[in-house]
Amino acid sequence: MNDARPIILKLGGSAITDKTTEAIPKNEIINRLAEEIKRADLDNLIIVHGGGSFGHPTAAKYGIKDGYKEDPTQKFGYAETHHMMTVLNGLVMDALIWHEIPAVSVAPANCMVTENGKVKTFDETALKAMSKLIFTPVLYGDAVMDEKLGFTILSGDQLVTYLALKYNAEKIVVGVDTDGIFEADPKTNPEAKPIKHLNLTELKALQPKLGKAAGTDVTGGMAGKIAELIPAVEAGIPVTVTGATKSLSIYRALTGQSVLGTVIEKT
C-alpha cells in the first residue's frame, strides 16, 4: 500500500438500496455519495459497499451463507448472488466514474477465500498495485468460496474490519440509513435516543440490544454490523457511524469534521 494509512468507507446496503423491495437501488443517494467522495479528494480511500436488496434476497433463498448442502440448485444460487452484487457494484461504479474518481472494482469472490466464514486467504497483489498508483479500490459483500463450507457470504462489514486491521487504517466511516447508532431501533421505536459516543465497553454492552435490518438481511443488521466492527475498535481504530442518506454527512466524516452520528473509540 502507499505510505498513507487508509481510510475505509463502508456504504451500507440499507443506504444505497431499498431493502424492502428486491433489487431497487437508491440512485439519487448513490450519485450524491459519489459527489461527496469526489469532494473529499482522498488518495488513501478504500470503499466497501453492502448488498442491500440485491445480494441478500438471493443469498437467503438458496442458503448461501450456511454453505453448500449438496443441493445442485445452490450452485446457481451462488452464481446469481455474486452476479446481483456485480450489478449493484456496477451502479456504484457508474456514479464514481461519472464524478471522475479513479475507482476500480475488486470482486472478493476472485481474490478471497474464507474458512468457516472468516477470511483465510487474500491475494492482495492487485490491490497493492492500485494503491501505489493512487486508485480507489471498491470492494463489496460477496458470495465467496469457503474451505470448510464450500461457499458462504463474506459480508461487507467483515471486509471493512479485515482491511482496516490488515492495513492499519486511520479510521473507518460507516454510512447507514439512520443518523448513527441509537439506544434502540429508531425505525420501530420513535423514542429511541441517538448515541454520540461509545467506548469499547459500552459498544459491547449495547450490541445485543440493536435491531435487525428491515427486509431480508443474511448478515445480522445493525447488531451484526457492530459485532464485526468490535475487533477494529479493540485495535484502536476509530469508527464513525453516520447517515449516508443525509447530505454531506459522509463528506464531513471523511474529512474529519463534526457530524451527526456516533463516534466509537476504544476508550
Side-chain angles (χ1 to χ4, degrees):
M1 306 294 284
N2 62 42
D3 292 336
R5 296 169 62 193
I7 293 173
I8 313 293
L9 170 63
K10 167 68 189 305
L11 302 178
S14 61
I16 62 173
T17 76
D18 179 351
K19 292 193 76 169
T20 64
T21 307
E22 190 169 348
I24 299 296
K26 296 178 180 177
N27 287 316
E28 289 186 8
I29 290 175
I30 293 171
N31 186 67
R32 179 180 50 73
L33 289 169
E35 184 177 317
E36 293 183 25
I37 292 166
K38 174 65 174 179
R39 181 176 173 184
D41 191 27
L42 301 173
D43 61 9
N44 60 334
L45 186 65
I46 298 175
I47 300 173
V48 178
H49 68 78
S53 62
F54 281 72
H56 290 279
T58 306
K61 177 181 178 180
Y62 292 97
I64 303 303
K65 185 175 179 60
D66 296 329
Y68 183 51
K69 307 298 183 184
E70 298 187 3
D71 177 357
T73 64
Q74 282 188 297
K75 293 181 182 180
F76 172 77
Y78 174 94
E80 184 179 359
T81 301
H82 170 68
H83 172 65
M84 290 302 294
M85 286 308 305
T86 67
V87 172
L88 178 57
N89 179 248
L91 297 175
V92 173
M93 294 302 300
D94 282 347
L96 295 171
I97 297 299
W98 180 258
H99 285 87
E100 299 184 349
I101 298 166
V104 179
S105 177
V106 179
N110 297 338
C111 62
M112 292 181 168
V113 175
T114 57
E115 182 176 56
N116 284 324
K118 299 297 181 182
V119 177
K120 183 177 182 181
T121 61
F122 170 38
D123 183 350
E124 61 180 326
T125 309
L127 194 66
K128 291 173 74 173
M130 289 177 201
S131 177
K132 288 180 181 178
L133 292 178
I134 318 297
F135 284 96
T136 299
V138 183
L139 298 89
Y140 47 89
D142 203 0
V144 300
M145 294 291 110
D146 188 285
E147 291 191 356
K148 297 292 186 181
L149 302 173
F151 49 63
T152 191
I153 296 298
L154 175 59
S155 74
D157 299 309
Q158 187 188 152
L159 265 175
V160 165
T161 291
Y162 177 83
L163 295 169
L165 292 173
K166 184 172 184 64
Y167 298 122
N168 188 27
E170 175 185 334
K171 64 182 176 183
I172 295 170
V173 174
V174 181
V176 295
D177 63 344
T178 60
D179 292 324
I181 299 173
F182 288 68
E183 292 179 350
D185 186 351
K187 297 174 186 174
T188 58
N189 182 2
E191 303 300 318
K193 295 181 180 179
I195 302 172
K196 293 184 178 180
H197 186 274
L198 287 169
N199 62 34
L200 181 59
T201 301
E202 293 166 338
L203 181 69
K204 288 181 176 179
L206 178 67
Q207 189 261 334
K209 303 175 185 178
L210 298 172
K212 295 184 177 181
T216 305
D217 191 320
V218 298
T219 56
M222 182 62 79
K225 189 182 304 297
I226 294 306
E228 293 289 1
L229 286 171
I230 286 174
V233 179
E234 288 176 331
I237 300 170
V239 178
T240 298
V241 181
T242 188
T245 56
K246 182 163 289 186
S247 180
L248 294 179
S249 287
I250 292 300
Y251 167 74
R252 293 179 64 87
L254 288 176
T255 54
Q257 302 178 56
S258 63
V259 66
L260 188 62
T262 308
V263 175
I264 308 170
E265 298 175 295
K266 188 174 182 179
T267 57

